[in-house]
Amino acid sequence: MTLSKLVFRSMRKNVKQYYLYFFALIFSVTLCFSFTTLQYNPSVVEALKKSGTATAGFEAASYILYFIVTFFVLYASQLFMKRRSKEIGLFQLIGMTKGLVFRLIALENIILFSLAVMIGMVIGYFSSRFFAMVLLKILEIDMIVQLKFSLDAFQQSALLFSVLLIIILLQMLWMIRRLSLLSLFTAAKKADERIKGFSIFQMVMGLIGVALIIYGYYQSTMLFNVEKASVYNNLFLHMLVILGSTILGTFLFFRYSVSLIMNIVRASKSGHLRITDVLAVTPIMHKMKSNSKSLTLITTLTGLAVGIMSLAYIAYYSSGSNARFASPYDYILLNDQGIEFLDALYQEGIDFKKDTYQISNVKLNLKDLISENLQDSPLLFNGEVDTAVVSLSDFHQIKTGYTLNEGEALLTSYANVLSEVLPLQKDVDVNVKSGETEIPLHITDIRKDYVLSQYASDASPILVVPDNLFKEIEEQNKTQVNIHSQIGINLKDKDDMEKAEVLYKKFSEDRKVMLDNEYSIIINSFEEERKENVASLGITIFVTAFLGLAFLLTTGSILYFKQMAEADDEKSSYVILRKIGYSTSHIMKGIYAKQAFNFGVPLVIGLSHSYFAVKSGWWLFGTELVAPLVITICLYVAMYMVFAILSIQYYKRVVRESL
């Protein structure tokens, strides 16, 4: 028999072994080629130029994706070789040399790789159009997506998988030449752990693992706590401590805490084990030594993927609220410039509500409003900032019912990132400077209402004072204030926004405001600010979502592959159980419990990791936490459960075929 005939016959006989590996290769090629093709898609390139979005994120994400694909393919190859180890041993037992066995396996892999790369590139080429449409939808760009083959994308993907093929062939050569014939026959049985009794060392290490996870969570809450900044002056070092303690704690939890818990459960049964215990508790204990590393990796990747996707979605989800901070009204006119815009709205029959503000300025020392623990914070600089002032009657246009007595004031529009790391206190006395005059005030409240454009407020909190005091401050600062008035316009019917946007742009030159006789500004409408945020964050949310999908499919596939391998290894046990009278439903109860642990525990711990990671600094990315985090977690869990269901279905098929 020639080598070529032997190769094709071996492949035909090993379809059940190959299809898993073949699927992994096709999936990897599709993911890689689709993303790389998308990067060179002319429609996407043109859209990014129009929106002014940089393409550097694509390039950085490509390298991360290459790492994910490399890891996944190498893992799948290792699992595939382990499952075929007995077959390789049989080849040598019948007289084939190691060199001939390697050539046989190498030819099989070259054929598989070639087919997988061709199929994967075809699927990736067509799926790239779908991803391009998703990206343009996120960027809110209406454009027909072109589908064009990219030679650069083909070369990059072909080079990556050529290198991977060489690495896998070298890995196989090392395995065949180094391992003995006996070890090849027993390779599939390795890495199991004998069930041992209760151990003090096991208990201590398990408790240390849980303690390290709790410590990492606690330190994450202190990451951006300015009052505790003296504990970790180096932010990067603090993050490494959190990451290291959490990952090490996770490994110790799976390696020792789980075994300890299972030993306690088994001991509580006093030797009276049900079929569920035999099929759930015992296999978990047997496999925990070999599974602890992979479960730790899956948990860490889950936490990383959900955390990154949540932060990106928080930023994208908060595009509107961040735009409101820059432009509290749909349209804003400063210093009565561009008043013609109002006449145009009247002429077009567009109904709107108009709020008018007179603006003055004082100097406020923020040190008077913060706690003693934050007095030396580097964020304060000299502590004194120029603060916009509006009258109470003007403030009533957006918030009625507020009263201020003589000598009282409130601060509003303090809702940005600075408010999280430098919280201000109310019910304190301060002195503000109006020209050369010091005015004592009692701050009654700190609010988050957006009132003035960021150009009028200089992105600082706004002081609201009684009307008579505002008139005094206004008289003293008439010549020192660049922006002295603001007209805010909100449309009553949002369907009129398209026409209003055209008019607002038409009078852009009329709306120009000079600052310090040095430069001029033309402020954007709320919709323009929102679209700029969407354009700048759209590519980020798309790239992180794509990488998150890659992480999800990789971790889910790894767990699925492992469960398939375990199901095949345990088939002989199911044969015995079926012969002594246990039905499929009885056996599946134990398998359900086992799958709940294998899929559920890494998922729950990974989501817990991601929650504390996101909670520590979400406000750096946006203003909304709950909705983006819940949506991201729900989508991730729903897709993750698909792999659990597939795994259960495979177990069910193995159990049914065991008799």
Side-chain angles (χ1 to χ4, degrees), residues 54-69:
T55 58
F58 266 116
E59 297 178 4
S62 297
Y63 292 109
I64 299 175
L65 184 61
Y66 293 160
F67 171 79
I68 297 172
V69 168

Side-chain angles (χ1 to χ4, degrees), residues 419-579:
S419 66
E420 296 289 337
V421 296
L422 206 64
L424 302 182
Q425 296 178 316
K426 60 182 180 180
D427 291 327
V428 295
D429 296 320
V430 299
N431 288 315
V432 299
K433 289 183 180 180
S434 176
E436 298 298 324
T437 306
E438 282 198 1
I439 303 173
L441 292 173
H442 180 76
I443 304 299
T444 61
D445 199 5
I446 308 293
R447 297 190 56 81
K448 297 183 178 182
D449 306 291
Y450 298 145
V451 179
L452 303 179
S453 164
Q454 62 179 351
Y455 293 105
S457 65
D458 200 22
S460 296
I462 298 166
L463 190 68
V464 181
V465 298
D467 291 11
N468 58 346
L469 179 57
F470 177 79
K471 290 179 181 178
E472 294 178 17
I473 295 173
E474 191 177 31
E475 286 294 326
Q476 295 168 353
N477 291 335
K478 267 188 176 180
T479 60
Q480 300 178 15
V481 179
N482 288 317
I483 299 176
H484 54 75
S485 68
Q486 171 184 295
I487 299 174
I489 302 112
N490 279 333
L491 301 180
K492 291 185 178 180
D493 187 354
K494 298 303 179 184
D495 292 336
D496 294 328
M497 183 171 290
E498 186 175 348
K499 290 191 293 184
E501 288 290 319
V502 174
L503 294 175
Y504 195 66
K505 292 177 182 177
K506 178 181 177 181
F507 294 102
S508 58
E509 287 299 318
D510 298 315
R511 295 187 286 105
K512 185 182 295 184
V513 177
M514 297 298 298
L515 299 180
D516 295 327
N517 296 321
E518 294 180 0
Y519 62 94
S520 61
I521 58 169
I522 301 175
I523 65 174
N524 292 331
S525 66
F526 163 75
E527 186 63 13
E528 287 173 329
E529 289 285 348
R530 190 191 67 82
K531 285 186 174 180
E532 284 187 3
N533 290 342
V534 167
S536 61
L537 296 170
I539 187 66
T540 304
I541 183 65
F542 177 80
V543 167
T544 52
F546 196 97
L547 292 178
L549 178 65
F551 275 120
L552 168 65
L553 295 177
T554 300
T555 54
S557 296
I558 288 173
L559 269 176
Y560 178 53
F561 293 168
K562 286 183 69 68
Q563 294 311 304
M564 289 180 69
E566 289 185 14
D568 291 337
D569 293 340
E570 295 168 1
K571 187 173 182 179
S572 58
S573 301
Y574 303 145
V575 171
I576 295 173
L577 290 171
R578 292 293 301 276
K579 284 182 177 180

Side-chain angles (χ1 to χ4, degrees), residues 67-127:
F67 171 79
I68 297 172
V69 168
T70 300
F71 164 77
F72 179 61
V73 171
L74 291 178
Y75 177 86
S77 173
Q78 184 182 21
L79 182 63
F80 171 69
M81 286 299 296
K82 184 177 180 181
R83 296 183 70 180
R84 292 196 63 193
S85 58
K86 184 180 291 187
E87 181 186 351
I88 295 173
L90 285 173
F91 283 147
Q92 296 185 35
L93 192 63
I94 62 175
M96 292 178 64
T97 63
K98 290 185 176 182
L100 185 58
V101 172
F102 170 71
R103 279 190 291 164
L104 172 66
I105 302 298
L107 281 173
E108 291 179 7
N109 272 270
I110 291 172
I111 294 171
L112 276 178
F113 252 80
S114 301
L115 290 174
V117 168
M118 287 190 292
I119 296 173
M121 284 188 173
V122 171
I123 299 174
Y125 174 69
F126 288 105
S127 63

Side-chain angles (χ1 to χ4, degrees), residues 592-620:
Y592 290 147
K594 178 185 174 183
Q595 297 311 299
F597 172 86
N598 287 327
F599 283 91
V601 174
L603 178 63
V604 170
I605 298 177
L607 294 179
S608 178
H609 290 352
S610 66
Y611 169 77
F612 280 95
V614 171
K615 190 73 167 61
S616 66
W618 68 271
W619 39 268
L620 290 170

Side-chain angles (χ1 to χ4, degrees), residues 323-333 353-357 394-399 450-453 486-491 494 504 523-527 529:
R324 280 297 177 201
F325 176 73
S327 180
Y329 290 85
D330 292 341
Y331 306 98
I332 290 177
L333 305 176
K353 180 181 180 296
K354 180 182 72 171
D355 293 339
T356 303
Y357 298 89
D394 285 350
F395 182 67
H396 281 162
Q397 294 176 107
I398 64 165
K399 201 70 179 178
Y450 298 145
V451 179
L452 303 179
S453 164
Q486 171 184 295
I487 299 174
I489 302 112
N490 279 333
L491 301 180
K494 298 303 179 184
Y504 195 66
I523 65 174
N524 292 331
S525 66
F526 163 75
E527 186 63 13
E529 289 285 348

Side-chain angles (χ1 to χ4, degrees), residues 2-190:
T2 62
L3 183 61
S4 59
K5 288 183 178 180
L6 187 60
V7 167
F8 286 109
R9 177 171 292 185
S10 174
M11 293 180 69
R12 190 172 63 253
K13 294 290 185 181
N14 285 284
V15 171
K16 289 185 178 181
Q17 302 281 354
Y18 274 118
Y19 87 92
L20 188 64
Y21 184 46
F22 194 51
F23 164 78
L25 291 176
I26 292 175
F27 158 71
S28 302
V29 176
T30 300
L31 203 63
C32 181
F33 189 66
S34 177
F35 189 80
T36 312
T37 301
L38 180 66
Q39 186 177 349
Y40 295 100
N41 187 294
S43 299
V44 173
V45 173
E46 183 182 350
L48 295 180
K49 286 181 180 178
K50 282 185 177 181
S51 63
T53 307
T55 58
F58 266 116
E59 297 178 4
S62 297
Y63 292 109
I64 299 175
L65 184 61
Y66 293 160
F67 171 79
I68 297 172
V69 168
T70 300
F71 164 77
F72 179 61
V73 171
L74 291 178
Y75 177 86
S77 173
Q78 184 182 21
L79 182 63
F80 171 69
M81 286 299 296
K82 184 177 180 181
R83 296 183 70 180
R84 292 196 63 193
S85 58
K86 184 180 291 187
E87 181 186 351
I88 295 173
L90 285 173
F91 283 147
Q92 296 185 35
L93 192 63
I94 62 175
M96 292 178 64
T97 63
K98 290 185 176 182
L100 185 58
V101 172
F102 170 71
R103 279 190 291 164
L104 172 66
I105 302 298
L107 281 173
E108 291 179 7
N109 272 270
I110 291 172
I111 294 171
L112 276 178
F113 252 80
S114 301
L115 290 174
V117 168
M118 287 190 292
I119 296 173
M121 284 188 173
V122 171
I123 299 174
Y125 174 69
F126 288 105
S127 63
S128 67
R129 187 173 188 271
F130 168 75
F131 288 117
M133 293 169 63
V134 172
L135 175 58
L136 296 182
K137 182 69 175 178
I138 291 173
L139 295 174
E140 298 184 0
I141 296 175
D142 189 12
M143 179 185 295
I144 297 175
V145 178
Q146 302 177 27
L147 191 60
K148 184 178 179 181
F149 181 79
S150 171
L151 184 61
D152 291 330
F154 174 78
Q155 290 175 342
Q156 290 181 22
S157 301
L159 177 62
L160 172 66
F161 286 96
S162 297
V163 172
L164 274 176
L165 176 60
I166 294 172
I167 294 173
I168 288 172
L169 292 179
L170 292 175
Q171 188 181 42
M172 291 177 177
L173 178 62
W174 179 86
M175 173 185 173
I176 293 171
R177 288 192 174 277
R178 184 175 178 85
L179 298 181
S180 65
L181 188 60
L182 180 62
S183 63
L184 287 170
F185 278 103
T186 59
K189 303 293 183 182
K190 286 186 177 180

